Amino acid sequence: MLLLLGHAGLASAQGIVDIRYSGNTATVVIPDDVIGVSQTVQGANVVITSTTNDTEYVYHVSGASNNGSLVINGQYKLTLQLDGLTLTNSHGGAAIDVECGKRIAVELVDGTVSSLSDIATGGQKAALYFKGHPEFRGGGTLNVTGKLKHAIAAKEYIELKPSLGTINILGAAGDGIHCGRGVQDPEKNYFLMRGGAVNIEKAADEGIDADDYGTIRLLGGGISITVGDGATGLKADSTIVVEDGLLNILVSGNDADGLLSRYSTTLRGGRVDIQVKGDGSKGVKTKNNTAADATVKGGGLLTIEGGRLDIVASGGVLTDEATGDTDRCMAISADADLRQTGGDVRLTVMGTEAATHNVKGTEQHPGGNWTLSRQPWVTDALVSHYDMTLFVTLNIGGQPVSDYSQLAVGAFIGDQCAGCVAVPADGGYLILRVHNSSMAASAIAFRYYDYTTATERQLQAAEPVNFAQDAVVGTPSNPVVLSYTTGSEGIPVLRLPDGSASPCYDLQGRPTGVRPVGHGIYVRKNQKMIK
């Protein structure tokens, strides 16, 4: 007998077991046509045992309980439908534990929001755990919090279907999403995303982790991850491949990585945006493993064939207190080769300590666009919703500046840099975009930075300039003149604990006191470098 659940757009199956939570109790209804399925219910804790090996049943779960759980035991594939379920296991254990080593279709009922959580005690691997391989689909929303270890974990692969709605990881003591079976198996240990939206916050370890020779492959949808201290946005024990979709990662923590592959990373399409704010952190890191106990040995290759990669690195230097070793914030770190045959790569460094990239092997750019830029001050236009435009020129010691190759000009509102420009337009003037978090008529101050001496100096405008939303101040033919009188002392950008000024660094993070390499904006097209 074929039964249909009364929710538009959901798949049908040959039998539906209805599980409903209400406070400290739960009810289970097993229809007559569902053969070989039994139940045990204690309060709001439900254990389902299935002995079928040829029929896929549907387990429709709804209701709410702050003291409940669901365990499904079986040997055959099944469908788990989450229909506005709110479930917290407050006695230790997963909120939902599917102990079936087969394919599990997880359907988020359209228009509903389900929330799952565990507590920080017990022996569970995750708040939502699968012994087999779950495939998520359906247009609803799923919120998961893992307070002991992972939020979502599977012993085998995890796949997100094109029809998926939204998965929100609201916190995890371990990984946000984890897959891996404890043994090397590239055929089964992978994370595959075809669609939907995944948002991950407050994951203590990895946002998404494909363990045990695991791979990550993105074919569509969107992922947003915030990365804290020592954590990683996406980590694969072998390869990461991005073919389509949107990946947005904020690396706010120290000693953290946006993308980390222990063999290779390949970008073929889509868009990857990464902000790296932590000291010693990396936007994209490809690692070469030589340790005897490494799961995957060798590697470190980064290949860019298409799509767009945009990384802004603004962190500082991380010092190991025990060894004194230092690690610099960097947009890209490749232990082997970097090869670009297509796509659009834009690496931006803010501040005086970060670097754009370090490649230990061979770096090649036979195709695509490769853009490097740096500015001496850190700005954050993403949190500033308002902006204005200024046309300016620089005058030093009574003489107009014509060579900006070693200079940058910044606009400041208070102590915060609100805009920076280093490359003049064709007419010799600078176009300076100024960003502000409010529409208030705040006073704008100006500074310029000299890369040859690693100092910055105050500039004076002929007339006061105040911020005004969407305003344009100056014109190409009559720009605002910013002046500095030589002879006054410069302001060191960074003071060390002993009071001495630090050196500036080039784009690759090498300390230098004279003419840093490539601090302006450069675009590499094929083998030609164009400033």
Side-chain angles (χ1 to χ4, degrees):
M1 177 180 180
L2 184 66
L3 297 182
L4 298 177
L5 190 60
H7 296 281
L10 293 182
S12 61
Q14 195 171 359
I16 297 175
V17 176
D18 187 74
I19 304 166
R20 187 165 302 178
Y21 291 87
S22 179
N24 291 322
T25 63
T27 57
V28 179
V29 177
I30 303 175
D32 293 340
D33 68 331
V34 175
I35 309 301
V37 175
S38 60
Q39 60 167 303
T40 300
V41 179
Q42 294 183 344
N45 300 297
V46 178
V47 177
I48 300 292
T49 301
S50 174
T51 59
T52 183
N53 57 14
D54 60 3
T55 305
E56 178 178 355
Y57 293 126
V58 174
Y59 298 88
H60 174 249
V61 192
S62 62
S65 174
N66 290 322
N67 187 29
S69 64
L70 172 61
V71 178
I72 302 177
N73 298 305
Q75 301 297 322
Y76 197 70
K77 60 186 179 180
L78 59 90
T79 296
L80 176 67
Q81 289 179 340
L82 303 181
D83 186 1
L85 171 68
T86 299
L87 187 61
T88 297
N89 187 335
S90 60
H91 58 273
I96 297 180
D97 180 353
V98 182
E99 290 290 326
C100 172
K102 302 296 182 180
R103 189 273 291 147
I104 311 300
V106 183
E107 293 188 350
L108 311 181
V109 176
D110 291 355
T112 68
V113 177
S114 294
S115 299
L116 305 175
S117 179
D118 59 2
I119 59 173
T121 59
Q124 67 273 20
K125 299 180 179 67
L128 175 58
Y129 178 74
F130 302 89
K131 184 180 178 181
H133 36 273
E135 298 179 357
F136 289 84
R137 62 196 188 197
T141 297
L142 174 61
N143 301 322
V144 187
T145 303
K147 296 183 178 180
L148 180 68
K149 199 171 181 180
H150 308 314
I152 299 175
K155 196 173 181 180
E156 297 179 354
Y157 71 76
I158 295 176
E159 181 175 347
L160 309 186
K161 297 291 190 178
S163 64
L164 179 67
T166 302
I167 295 177
N168 296 316
I169 304 300
L170 304 183
D175 301 335
I177 299 176
H178 179 97
C179 56
R181 58 185 296 144
V183 295
Q184 297 183 25
D185 191 344
E187 298 296 325
K188 293 185 178 180
N189 299 341
Y190 62 82
F191 175 87
L192 173 61
M193 184 170 183
R194 300 182 183 275
V198 175
N199 302 300
I200 301 177
E201 296 182 356
K202 300 178 182 178
D205 292 333
E206 276 63 68
I208 299 175
D209 185 4
D211 216 347
D212 306 318
Y213 210 99
T215 66
I216 294 177
R217 190 177 180 190
L218 306 181
L219 304 181
I223 299 176
S224 177
I225 303 176
T226 300
V227 182
D229 288 348
T232 305
L234 265 63
K235 191 210 83 174
D237 260 9
S238 56
T239 64
I240 295 176
V241 179
V242 180
E243 298 193 21
D244 200 357
L246 174 63
L247 180 58
N248 193 328
I249 300 178
L250 171 60
V251 184
S252 60
N254 297 330
D255 192 25
D257 302 307
L259 300 183
L260 171 62
S261 63
R262 298 190 181 276
Y263 192 78
S264 69
T265 294
T266 302
L267 306 179
R268 296 193 178 120
R271 176 161 180 169
V272 179
D273 291 331
I274 304 176
Q275 288 191 73
V276 190
K277 297 184 175 182
D279 293 346
S281 297
K282 309 293 187 289
V284 175
K285 184 174 182 178
T286 56
K287 193 170 183 179
N288 180 293
N289 289 298
T290 58
D293 59 348
T295 305
V296 181
K297 292 182 174 60
L301 176 66
L302 174 59
T303 303
I304 304 165
E305 300 172 354
R308 177 168 173 176
L309 173 64
D310 199 333
I311 306 178
V312 177
S314 60
V317 177
L318 184 69
T319 302
D320 189 315
E321 295 181 358
T323 65
D325 294 339
T326 60
D327 192 13
R328 191 169 309 287
C329 174
M330 198 169 295
I332 291 176
S333 174
D335 278 357
D337 299 343
L338 186 157
R339 180 174 174 81
Q340 181 186 14
T341 59
D344 187 2
V345 179
R346 304 182 185 188
L347 308 182
T348 302
V349 169
M350 294 184 180
T352 60
E353 296 186 322
T356 54
H357 64 298
N358 180 46
V359 179
K360 294 182 180 179
T362 301
E363 180 179 346
Q364 297 178 315
H365 303 271
N369 296 330
W370 176 261
T371 305
L372 306 180
S373 64
R374 82 167 305 150
Q375 64 182 56
W377 307 287
V378 177
T379 59
D380 194 349
L382 293 180
V383 299
S384 302
H385 304 293
Y386 310 100
D387 61 70
M388 65 180 291
T389 302
L390 289 88
F391 294 90
V392 302
T393 57
L394 191 59
N395 188 307
I396 297 178
Q399 298 296 321
V401 172
S402 58
D403 181 7
Y404 288 89
S405 63
Q406 299 301 317
L407 301 176
V409 176
F412 288 77
I413 297 178
D415 293 330
Q416 178 64 43
C417 182
C420 178
V421 64
V423 178
D426 292 339
Y429 55 86
L430 300 173
I431 303 175
L432 182 57
R433 292 288 298 276
V434 181
H435 304 274
N436 198 10
S437 57
S438 73
M439 297 180 65
S442 307
I444 300 176
F446 301 94
R447 305 177 195 174
Y448 87 91
Y449 181 87
D450 186 338
Y451 281 95
T452 62
T453 59
T455 56
E456 66 182 84
R457 296 178 171 89
Q458 302 284 351
L459 294 168
Q460 297 294 326
E463 298 290 339
V465 179
N466 293 320
F467 180 84
Q469 164 67 358
D470 292 333
V472 177
V473 178
T475 65
S477 60
N478 186 28
V480 176
V481 179
L482 305 176
S483 301
Y484 167 74
T485 302
T486 57
S488 61
E489 182 180 358
I491 305 170
V493 169
L494 179 65
R495 286 285 182 183
L496 300 179
D498 63 2
S500 62
S502 73
C504 58
Y505 297 88
D506 66 18
L507 284 171
Q508 283 70 45
R510 298 182 292 254
T512 176
V514 293
R515 301 186 69 82
V517 177
H519 64 273
I521 297 178
Y522 293 82
V523 178
R524 188 196 303 265
K525 295 186 177 180
N526 296 324
Q527 295 292 348
K528 186 178 181 181
M529 185 76 86
I530 303 172
K531 181 177 178 181

